[in-house]
Amino acid sequence: MLLCIDCGNTNTVFSVWNGYDFLATWRTATDHRQTADQYFVWLSTLMNLGKIDADITEVIISSTVPRVVFNLRVLCDRYFGCRPIVVGKPDCLLPVPPRVDQGTTVGPDRLVNTVAGFDRHGGDLILVDFGTATTFDVVDSDGAYIGGAIAPGVNTSLEALHSTAAALPHVDVTRPQSAIGTNTVACMQSGIYWGYVGLVEGIVRQIRIERERPMRVIATGGLAPLFDQGTEIFDSVEDDLTLHGLVLINRYNRELTTA
């Protein structure tokens, strides 16, 4: 079976794929100090609790935090007896290489989402990922990643607002009842929520102007369903986009090695 590992700046997701479905998905805080042994104890405990009988023979990793990859490699070698595919490394090939400025390193998560988005929806896409950063990935008609935009993540902005303005409290991200807040918390929630709706709509509008063609918009990430309530710009909201992309990239590379 295949173990997909999606390591982001805030959380790391582990998911077991049996060739047809994801049997289970677990999430832990990203910590570069976590050892291979700690990963295995945590993962095996959850698998036992969920009665997941999985013989892991393949692993694919997408990580935006390079420092965690070493221990994840050790995990694969020591406990699963395999060498993982690491998205973004030279030996991990993509169905269509990205077309960006020479020397530019594209985040692995953006490459994975591109592959998944193209597989499900074809080309001419804008993928909006609500993560630690809010990213906009543009997928060309042939499935190539050709660039995009990066904005601060929603929670990142809230934390910055709270930490730099002494009088402003920490608030949760939610859709406010009104754009006009009548107290400090409501004002902050309105500014963040409707501000990000405006940010997404504005960047998508500008990308469409520059591309001069229809562009479908796909949203992913934990906060995507919440912001979908405030705009009609998304054609689809998909919470498993990255995991789907990891399965596709693993399959593509395995087929190349066995051809």
Side-chain angles (χ1 to χ4, degrees), residues 105-126:
T105 300
V106 181
D109 54 332
R110 308 180 79 178
L111 297 175
V112 173
N113 286 347
T114 295
V115 172
F118 181 72
D119 178 72
R120 286 182 170 173
H121 304 281
D124 294 325
L125 298 177
I126 303 170

Side-chain angles (χ1 to χ4, degrees), residues 198-251:
L199 181 146
V200 170
E201 291 179 342
I203 291 179
V204 166
R205 180 173 61 250
Q206 187 60 33
I207 291 173
R208 283 172 166 167
I209 290 172
E210 294 179 9
R211 292 291 290 164
E212 298 181 327
R213 67 185 71 180
M215 303 285 290
R216 281 172 293 177
V217 184
I218 312 301
T220 189
L223 291 176
L226 175 64
F227 282 92
D228 184 46
Q229 299 173 18
T231 180
E232 297 182 356
I233 204 165
F234 300 129
D235 295 288
S236 178
V237 176
E238 302 176 11
D239 61 355
D240 66 338
L241 196 65
T242 303
L243 292 175
H244 179 62
L246 286 173
V247 170
L248 294 173
I249 293 173
N250 181 77
R251 181 185 304 157

Side-chain angles (χ1 to χ4, degrees), residues 20-138:
Y20 304 96
D21 298 296
F22 286 107
L23 298 181
T25 299
W26 305 282
R27 187 180 303 266
T28 185
T30 298
D31 184 354
H32 70 272
R33 297 168 299 180
Q34 191 95 330
T35 67
D37 301 325
Q38 289 173 316
Y39 277 124
F40 181 73
V41 169
W42 172 81
L43 186 61
S44 59
T45 299
L46 289 174
M47 291 177 69
N48 289 332
L49 288 173
K51 298 181 180 179
I52 304 297
D53 183 15
D55 180 19
I56 304 298
T57 58
E58 297 177 285
V59 181
I60 184 167
I61 300 169
S62 169
S63 176
T64 58
V65 186
R67 295 177 68 184
V68 306
V69 174
F70 174 78
N71 284 330
L72 291 174
R73 285 184 180 273
V74 174
L75 168 71
C76 299
D77 177 65
R78 181 177 297 168
Y79 292 105
F80 303 132
C82 68
R83 179 182 179 184
I85 295 174
V86 182
V87 180
K89 298 299 182 182
D91 58 348
C92 177
L93 302 179
L94 301 174
V96 184
R99 290 194 289 270
V100 293
D101 294 343
Q102 188 173 3
T104 299
T105 300
V106 181
D109 54 332
R110 308 180 79 178
L111 297 175
V112 173
N113 286 347
T114 295
V115 172
F118 181 72
D119 178 72
R120 286 182 170 173
H121 304 281
D124 294 325
L125 298 177
I126 303 170
L127 306 175
V128 184
D129 190 349
F130 291 90
T132 305
T134 302
T135 59
F136 299 77
D137 303 325
V138 181

